[in-house]
Amino acid sequence: MAAARALRIHAGPRARRHIEQHGLRPQDISVIPGAAGGPKGLVLGPLDRFIFGEWLPRSQQPVHLVGASIGAWRMATACLDEAIPAFERLERDYIAQDYELEPGRKTPTARHVSQRFSENLASFYGGRVRQVLDHPRYRLHIVTSRGRHLLSREHRFGTPVGYLGAYLSNSLHRRALCAWLERVVFSSGPDPEALSLPFDEQDFSTRQVHLTEENFHPALQASCSIPFVLQAIHDIPGAPRGAYWDGGITDYHLHLNYAAAHPQGLVLYPHFQKAVVPGWLDKAWRWRHGATAFLENTVVLAPDPEWVRGLPNGRLPDRRDFARYGTDLASRMKVWQAAASASAQLAEEFSQWLERPDPGRVEAL
């Protein structure tokens, strides 16, 4: 009996027309986003290794890499000289994360998680930051969320109240969230005066900052700093003063207006689900999960929900697994490794489809 199909391909209308006429070629790609989502991103490792290690190097055009949280870590890793072993190490390091619990606590303190994570990033990119910044083709864009008003500095009492205000404002309208948070994007490039974003930023209050050796580490850590799980990063060099948190708060799945900025090229989006949710606070608002005109030229590669149900625990790896397995590191690592290994099927199916890109496999986004 044939194995269940793992990969589903979804595309916006402009991208579907392109595939019908030309298939999908590496030279067609202008942007690759990397979503926030914590351990869910582990199932994208084989796709990352194939896309950045084998397929995309067959072309020569510049490509913008946009990432938030684990997506920022993935996209920064793609900029290293040896992409495949770098992604293999990212997978190993992420799966092996381990944090100490203080007596009487079921979760580690935010201070401890931030310190350990900072050490991991320093070890991972140590001596290699210039490779990321000077990549001849890739322009990296790290998305962070900068707090405003009550959220401008992390505070024991002010921060929970501020995020309550952010939640209530966002429930009324996404743009109302701008009263509490703004999108700050740290972008690589040789000329800080010539930076450009790979999307139209008019949907949300946005600033762009030049990504340098001095601010690379704090910007990347900020993009991964989930409120109350990690500490905010304050006053990043070269950027406006303030507290910076996980880029997924403002842009959970990077539902950005790529179509306006790149009317000719395509956006290739390896994702862990079909829906491209705008912000982390939008997870509860299902009506905000549908595709918009922003994604007209986007191709989403996502695991089939039925295939996902065949993974350990019947779902993707999840941040809740830290609490579920507690101090049983070996069991959590075993489950996460099994999911990461199984996801090799995603890359295999994508590679096969590229050889004969059947438009009939492409579903509406």
Side-chain angles (χ1 to χ4, degrees):
M1 183 176 178
R5 180 174 286 174
L7 180 69
R8 295 180 73 165
I9 304 171
H10 307 272
R14 193 189 306 172
R16 293 177 75 188
R17 289 194 297 270
H18 179 97
I19 291 171
E20 289 171 357
Q21 297 171 13
H22 308 289
L24 186 63
R25 304 162 300 188
Q27 62 265 33
D28 298 329
I29 307 305
S30 295
V31 184
I32 298 181
K40 295 182 181 70
L42 287 170
V43 299
L44 303 175
L47 276 171
D48 286 340
R49 293 193 288 272
F50 170 72
I51 291 169
F52 291 106
E54 300 181 37
W55 187 64
L56 204 54
R58 301 171 193 169
S59 60
Q60 297 180 339
Q61 80 284 2
V63 181
H64 293 272
L65 310 182
V66 189
S69 201
I70 190 176
W73 194 354
R74 289 171 47 224
M75 295 302 101
T77 300
C79 297
L80 293 172
D81 286 349
E82 299 293 335
I84 292 179
F87 276 117
E88 290 172 342
R89 178 179 172 182
L90 170 58
E91 181 178 291
R92 292 194 304 270
D93 287 2
Y94 199 95
I95 289 173
Q97 286 182 87
D98 188 26
Y99 302 100
E100 299 169 7
L101 299 179
E102 293 182 354
R105 289 185 60 97
K106 294 184 179 180
T107 58
T109 65
R111 181 177 183 178
H112 173 62
V113 177
S114 291
Q115 180 179 356
R116 184 66 61 83
F117 186 64
S118 177
E119 293 168 353
N120 291 341
L121 287 181
S123 172
F124 190 89
Y125 292 103
R128 301 195 290 175
V129 173
R130 287 258 49 110
Q131 294 179 22
V132 177
L133 302 180
D134 297 337
H135 196 282
R137 294 182 57 196
Y138 301 156
R139 293 292 172 260
L140 177 64
H141 305 272
I142 297 175
V143 180
T144 68
S145 302
R146 174 178 175 261
R148 306 180 68 184
H149 307 301
L150 271 179
L151 295 177
S152 63
R153 312 300 292 182
E154 188 169 29
H155 188 272
R156 180 179 178 184
F157 302 110
T159 299
V161 174
Y163 272 108
L164 176 60
Y167 176 82
L168 295 174
S169 298
N170 185 73
S171 68
L172 297 175
H173 196 281
R174 173 163 162 77
R175 283 196 65 88
L177 182 61
C178 296
W180 300 94
L181 294 157
E182 68 176 349
R183 173 196 295 144
V184 179
V185 184
F186 292 81
S187 301
S188 68
D191 184 358
E193 302 299 323
L195 297 177
S196 63
L197 289 169
F199 54 87
D200 185 317
E201 74 276 15
Q202 296 182 44
D203 66 309
F204 200 85
S205 176
T206 304
R207 296 183 191 237
Q208 189 177 26
V209 175
H210 189 219
L211 187 64
T212 65
E213 283 190 274
E214 187 179 13
N215 63 27
F216 173 82
H217 185 122
L220 184 55
Q221 178 154 353
S223 187
C224 299
S225 292
I226 304 166
F228 313 113
V229 179
L230 288 87
Q231 294 177 317
I233 302 297
H234 289 83
D235 305 333
I236 298 177
R241 289 176 58 83
Y244 289 76
W245 279 280
D246 197 308
I249 305 170
T250 56
D251 296 284
Y252 189 40
H253 293 163
L254 303 165
H255 194 129
L256 303 170
N257 193 353
Y258 308 107
H262 289 273
Q264 303 303 320
L266 298 183
V267 179
L268 180 65
Y269 197 162
H271 196 17
F272 45 78
Q273 61 183 46
K274 173 188 175 183
V276 182
V277 182
W280 190 83
L281 297 174
D282 296 318
K283 290 196 296 182
W285 315 121
R286 294 282 180 177
W287 57 88
R288 297 185 185 178
H289 295 190
T292 69
F294 286 9
L295 307 179
E296 281 192 356
N297 60 337
T298 298
V299 180
V300 171
L301 309 176
D304 188 296
E306 187 62 34
W307 177 84
V308 169
R309 284 189 279 273
L311 296 177
N313 299 322
R315 57 171 174 78
L316 298 173
D318 192 279
R319 190 163 54 85
R320 293 170 296 178
D321 290 335
F322 284 110
R324 174 173 182 167
Y325 292 99
T327 57
D328 188 359
L329 174 64
S331 293
R332 176 174 58 77
M333 288 182 63
K334 181 179 179 181
V335 167
W336 284 11
Q337 185 60 62
S341 298
S343 62
Q345 187 178 347
L346 297 170
E348 292 167 3
E349 291 184 14
F350 182 50
S351 175
Q352 293 167 2
W353 179 81
L354 287 169
E355 293 178 4
R356 301 183 64 181
D358 177 10
R361 283 279 313 273
V362 183
E363 305 173 59
L365 184 57

